[in-house]
Amino acid sequence: MEKVFNINGQEVKVQDFKQSGDGVSFVLNGRTYYYMLITKDGPELVLDNGGRFKAAVGTPNREGEQMIIANGREAKAFAAGKKMKKSGGAAGGLTSPMPGKIFKVIKEAGSVVKKGEPILILEAMKMEHSIRSDKDGTVKKINYKVGELVQGGVTLAEVE
């Protein structure tokens, strides 16, 4: 079965996608990949593909995108064609993809930002994750201070 994902704005097609039990396999660019879930603790995962590594999958935001972090790399992904419509809740808000600690505030309230510009850094799973503006505008509010612990899905900052 072919499955299509959108990863960082790029459509990625995988062939022979199979999921059974705690394993998933697929073919991408002629190469077969297989991953087995070893442990899961909330959003944190330990996977094995011949070598174990940590990963995390965040809660989908209001647009249906999920932050995925594995091997020190992060990506936004959603199943193509499955993107949810924007809802009225938390309009202009930037949410935490997973539980973590505010590591650094880059832009203060009142700062002008461009879409994609980092506003703050969240530390989770011993990695730093950039929380970026989802649009051009002005930072209305930063809801947390450096060092504060946050849950996944909470609004960290607001841009208008």
Side-chain angles (χ1 to χ4, degrees):
M1 168 172 106
E2 183 175 274
K3 196 158 179 128
V4 181
F5 298 93
N6 186 306
I7 301 175
N8 289 338
Q10 184 175 29
E11 196 171 272
V12 176
K13 292 181 182 179
V14 298
Q15 291 76 40
D16 206 21
F17 183 87
K18 294 177 189 155
Q19 186 172 1
S20 62
D22 289 336
V24 64
S25 66
F26 58 89
V27 176
L28 176 65
N29 298 328
R31 183 173 170 200
T32 300
Y33 295 86
Y34 180 77
Y35 296 92
M36 177 64 96
L37 176 65
I38 304 300
T39 62
K40 182 176 194 277
D41 183 15
E44 298 181 15
L45 311 170
V46 174
L47 301 171
D48 190 318
N49 66 343
R52 290 187 180 191
F53 63 95
K54 285 187 176 183
V57 178
T59 305
N61 66 16
R62 65 185 178 277
E63 296 167 350
E65 296 174 325
Q66 287 182 288
M67 180 66 73
I68 300 170
I69 296 111
N71 288 331
R73 297 179 68 187
E74 59 183 65
K76 283 185 182 178
F78 63 89
K82 303 273 183 181
K83 196 166 184 178
M84 293 187 285
K85 294 179 182 173
K86 289 187 181 183
S87 67
L94 303 171
T95 58
S96 172
M98 67 186 68
K101 180 170 73 171
I102 303 300
F103 179 73
K104 182 177 184 179
V105 175
I106 299 169
K107 299 288 184 180
E108 298 292 338
S111 299
V112 175
V113 292
K114 299 261 186 223
K115 182 177 181 175
E117 192 171 353
I119 294 177
L120 56 87
I121 305 291
L122 177 73
E123 183 179 60
M125 293 183 57
K126 299 180 184 176
M127 293 185 280
E128 295 176 9
H129 312 283
S130 297
I131 305 301
R132 299 175 181 274
S133 179
D134 58 350
K135 62 184 172 185
D136 292 348
T138 303
V139 178
K140 179 180 177 184
K141 184 177 181 184
I142 302 289
N143 295 326
Y144 296 90
K145 294 180 174 82
V146 171
E148 285 189 280
L149 297 175
V150 299
Q151 292 297 316
V154 299
T155 300
L156 302 173
E158 297 173 29
V159 176
E160 57 181 9

